[in-house]
Amino acid sequence: MGRTVNIFFEGAGEVRVADKTTRSEYDYVVIGAGSAGCVLANRLSASGKNQVLLLEAGGQDRNIWLHIPIGYAKVHMRPQFNWLYPTQPEAELGGRSATIPRGKVLGGSSAVNGLVYIRGQREDYDGWRQLGNVGWGYDDVLPYFRKSEDQSRGANEFHGVGGPLRVSTAQHDHPLCDAFIAAAARAGVMQNDDFNGPVQEGASYYQSTSSNGRRYSTATAYLKPVRGRANLEVVVDACVDRLLFEGRRAIGARYRLGGETREVKARREFILAAGAIGSPHLLQVSGIGPATLLRAHHVPVVHDLPGVGRSLQDHYNVHFGFRSKQRVTVNDAMASNAGRLKMGLQYLFARGGPLSYTAASVGAFFCSRPGVTRPDIQVHLNLFSRSQKITELDGFSGFTTVICQLRPESRGSIEITSPSFAQFPRIQFNYLSTETDRTTLVRGIRKLGDILHQPEFAPFFGGELGIDPQRVSDEELLAFVRARGGTSQHASCTCRMGTDDNAVVDARLRVRGVQGLRVADASVMPALVSGNTNAPTIMIAEKASDMIEGDAKRRA
Ligand SMILES: Cc1cc2nc3c(=O)[nH]c(=O)nc-3n(C[C@H](O)[C@H](O)[C@H](O)COP(=O)(O)OP(=O)(O)OC[C@H]3O[C@@H](n4cnc5c(N)ncnc54)[C@H](O)[C@@H]3O)c2cc1C
């Protein structure tokens, strides 16, 4: 498969990985090669002065479906590339539990995600700063978004070019999408061609982390171009199962590789980038976390840090499937051999057609009700439906709208169940546990129904596959939401940055109360951003790299 990818994406190459480390000590050891970890490894090794080791529990990203945008549907639940964490029964969802994906492969979740490129709102970051996190206001973080970016539309105040991460509009001019955008405008949600520009509100085609029909995971964007660097080692299939401390200083990481247990030291720092579930889990099994929880599982307490694993947030979303009156959906393209052949040829010769589509083609951000001053609802439009089986497209023309509340109040937790990292932690989201969360979603769904019933959308709207949000009571709608919703895959905030007693890292992302250890990934968000979380996580890692180098210079 590796060969196939190389030929297919000429010049793409592979990340050069080692089957073992060449040293016992590095300047920086980065744990986890996901959205954040690949950025950190690239930036910290850029000067050539630091020896950097990147350890990843998953394997190489050789499978071709990890690189073709629509491959998302094939890889995002495949055990070969995913942790597939089981979650706890949810009280507000009638006791339902779920299995949630997180990437376990070079590129982490950026290699299996839906590719949607969204940063959130100015107020999200200004809110982080107002919580005491100096240096995290919107004006502070914008330069890091721009630094990371290679924007296909060119540079401006909000966007950068020449950065490692390709960002482009994957798809244009689809009749069903155009009709949705026009219907949204009629319903008061105006067209906005840049959700990551001055305002987020509106409806438009999404931009995505893809270019010329190819996914840009952070492994592709940040690791592959620097595979010749002698001072950067990347080791895959290396799962860190404990951080080692001398007093309260992190001095080593113990990891499993090829059936053996090994240890590695960092002269300067360890940077934990194992994601919103992996990072708090690893901290807890290593003795950093709520002392009572750790003692209950026979983990010696290195430092009592009650916030580790607390404050878990996610966007709870609900899918509404509909029939399309016109045969313009991915379901139609996939329904016949001729259609599949056409798709293949479109992709092969023009890098276009449905294979180049990302999970969602079009999005909308709007306010759920009067009085709300900035969008609290996001809608994705998928050009396919899967109403019968989650793994199979429907055999008729169909599309799906996916809706979530952008700033949920509900918070959950990650807790160890054993002193061993090999045992999954207990993951409790507590979705819909506040009245605001329930009401916001119901009001938002009503507005989505309003868009779908505008005359501009009538040529495509062929009736509901589950329920039609316009034709049921609020009670029935909430019952549907409880019964059918699930994760948006945006777990975050479990090693929350802040200044209060439950904060895990400070504004420079140093783990509070210990030395030689930072966390830099989606887990450090003080509060979930109003949108998808890949771009914000990449920004966090860009900023973290600068802070780490800046602090090293000050110490020298
Ligand atoms: C299926 C799916 C769809 C999504 N869709 C979108 C989208 O369309 N747009 C968007 O913006 N966001 C999306 N997201 C969310 C986004 O991708 C994540 O928020 C982001 O990638 C998180 O980055 P991270 O660096 O925190 O963690 P990850 O990218 O998950 O990286 C963590 C890495 O650490 C590794 N690791 C964990 N534990 C260890 C250990 N002990 N030792 C060594 N390595 C370890 C993991 O294997 C993984 O590679 C999606 C996520 C998923 C899972």
Side-chain angles (χ1 to χ4, degrees):
M1 253 321 189
R3 275 174 58 81
T4 324
V5 172
N6 283 340
I7 293 163
F8 201 71
F9 294 113
E10 208 179 324
E14 275 188 8
V15 176
R16 188 172 54 91
V17 299
D19 55 3
K20 60 179 187 325
T21 53
T22 58
R23 303 160 176 267
S24 57
E25 193 172 71
Y26 294 77
D27 291 306
Y28 297 108
V29 175
V30 179
I31 300 167
S35 295
C38 296
V39 178
L40 288 153
N42 174 316
R43 296 301 189 192
L44 293 176
S45 62
S47 69
K49 291 183 190 149
N50 305 316
Q51 296 295 331
V52 178
L53 173 65
L54 176 62
L55 293 172
E56 167 55 42
Q60 290 230 54
D61 59 347
R62 286 178 171 157
N63 190 296
I64 199 164
W65 291 112
L66 292 166
H67 302 275
I68 295 176
I70 203 121
Y72 160 81
K74 281 188 179 283
V75 297
H76 85 282
M77 290 300 274
R78 212 185 260 189
Q80 193 187 346
F81 311 120
N82 278 284
W83 290 86
L84 296 181
Y85 293 105
T87 68
Q88 292 299 303
E90 290 283 327
E92 294 291 336
L93 310 185
R96 279 192 302 128
S97 53
T99 301
I100 56 161
R102 296 269 98 195
K104 187 182 185 183
V105 60
L106 277 183
S109 299
S110 75
V112 300
N113 73 11
L115 297 94
V116 172
Y117 183 81
I118 289 290
R119 298 173 176 177
Q121 300 168 7
R122 169 179 278 276
E123 293 85 347
D124 297 330
Y125 302 99
D126 289 346
W128 290 9
R129 188 189 53 204
Q130 278 151 19
L131 290 168
N133 300 300
V134 176
W136 291 92
Y138 182 74
D139 292 336
D140 303 309
V141 302
L142 181 58
Y144 293 100
F145 280 115
R146 293 185 77 244
K147 182 181 181 185
S148 68
E149 193 181 10
D150 191 15
Q151 169 61 243
S152 65
R153 294 169 174 168
N156 64 20
E157 186 191 345
F158 296 96
H159 295 286
V161 293
L165 186 69
R166 298 262 179 96
V167 178
S168 69
T169 311
Q171 198 193 341
H172 314 259
D173 305 331
H174 188 283
L176 194 148
C177 297
D178 289 345
F180 180 86
I181 294 167
R186 167 86 67 158
V189 181
M190 304 314 284
Q191 182 161 350
N192 173 6
D193 286 333
D194 188 2
F195 294 133
N196 301 303
V199 288
Q200 189 192 52
E201 189 160 14
S204 185
Y205 286 93
Y206 274 127
Q207 286 221 299
S208 69
T209 43
S210 72
S211 173
N212 198 22
R214 177 185 178 201
R215 174 195 286 274
Y216 272 73
S217 71
T218 51
T220 297
Y222 283 86
L223 287 188
K224 286 175 190 168
V226 302
R227 60 185 174 276
R229 277 185 198 161
N231 62 325
L232 170 63
E233 282 179 30
V234 182
V235 181
V236 294
D237 299 315
C239 186
V240 177
D241 64 9
R242 184 146 308 174
L243 298 167
L244 309 169
F245 290 87
E246 210 170 71
R248 287 195 184 168
R249 165 165 286 280
I251 52 144
R254 192 180 78 181
Y255 62 100
R256 298 279 302 164
L257 179 66
E260 283 179 32
T261 298
R262 301 165 188 226
E263 286 181 15
V264 64
K265 292 189 169 178
R267 269 186 291 275
R268 290 195 168 140
E269 292 187 36
F270 290 88
I271 302 115
L272 189 47
I277 298 171
S279 288
H281 187 200
L282 191 55
L283 284 176
Q284 289 178 2
V285 295
S286 305
I288 312 285
T292 5
L293 172 74
L294 305 193
R295 289 197 189 103
H297 294 285
H298 313 292
V299 173
V301 177
V302 174
H303 179 50
D304 179 12
L305 203 51
V308 175
R310 300 275 154 80
S311 309
L312 171 64
Q313 285 202 290
D314 186 17
H315 294 123
Y316 181 76
N317 71 31
V318 193
H319 292 227
F320 291 89
F322 301 94
R323 285 180 185 271
S324 166
K325 278 189 200 161
Q326 298 190 33
R327 293 178 56 76
V328 292
T329 67
V330 178
N331 297 10
D332 305 302
M334 286 291 287
S336 66
N337 288 338
R340 285 194 288 271
L341 180 66
K342 185 176 167 200
M343 265 171 62
L345 294 174
Q346 280 174 319
Y347 189 73
L348 209 55
F349 292 109
R351 290 293 166 83
L355 285 169
S356 69
Y357 294 179
T358 52
S361 305
V362 158
F365 292 87
F366 54 77
C367 299
S368 60
R369 52 190 177 250
V372 175
T373 53
R374 58 185 173 117
D376 55 355
I377 291 289
Q378 180 179 9
V379 171
H380 297 293
L381 174 71
N382 303 339
L383 285 170
F384 54 82
S385 66
R386 291 183 296 201
S387 60
Q388 317 296 323
K389 258 182 155 184
I390 187 73
T391 50
E392 268 177 37
L393 297 183
D394 291 329
F396 47 82
S397 310
F399 63 92
T400 308
T401 54
V402 184
I403 184 164
C404 74
Q405 176 203 9
L406 286 171
R407 287 181 297 285
E409 294 176 348
S410 305
R411 287 191 180 246
S413 60
I414 311 277
E415 293 185 347
I416 47 169
T417 55
S418 141
S420 163
F421 187 79
Q423 299 296 316
F424 280 145
R426 185 178 182 280
I427 302 172
Q428 184 79 66
F429 280 103
N430 294 326
Y431 289 125
L432 300 180
S433 55
T434 76
E435 183 55 36
T436 310
D437 290 2
R438 296 187 289 267
T439 310
T440 305
L441 206 41
V442 168
R443 295 269 67 81
I445 294 167
R446 286 267 184 245
K447 186 144 181 178
L448 169 62
D450 187 26
I451 294 172
L452 296 172
H453 283 279
Q454 295 299 326
E456 284 76 1
F457 205 57
F460 295 93
F461 189 81
E464 68 276 12
L465 293 168
I467 59 170
D468 179 343
Q470 287 305 76
R471 299 216 180 108
V472 292
S473 67
D474 280 1
E475 291 68 32
E476 286 168 307
L477 204 44
L478 184 57
F480 185 84
V481 164
R482 290 182 195 279
R484 301 290 280 275
T487 177
S488 292
Q489 338 282 7
H490 295 164
S492 50
C493 311
T494 48
C495 296
R496 188 166 64 71
M497 175 185 3
T499 53
D500 59 296
D501 289 347
N502 277 321
V504 175
V505 296
D506 66 14
R508 297 193 78 73
L509 306 186
R510 297 171 294 211
V511 176
R512 294 170 68 227
V514 299
Q515 290 85 47
L517 179 61
R518 296 193 209 223
V519 183
D521 57 24
S523 70
V524 304
M525 293 183 193
L528 191 49
V529 293
S530 308
N532 311 62
T533 43
N534 187 41
T537 305
I538 292 170
M539 174 279 290
I540 287 168
E542 286 278 12
K543 184 164 163 61
S545 310
D546 247 20
M547 292 193 300
I548 292 166
E549 296 229 278
D551 289 352
K553 277 200 196 116
R554 266 193 292 282
R555 277 195 299 266

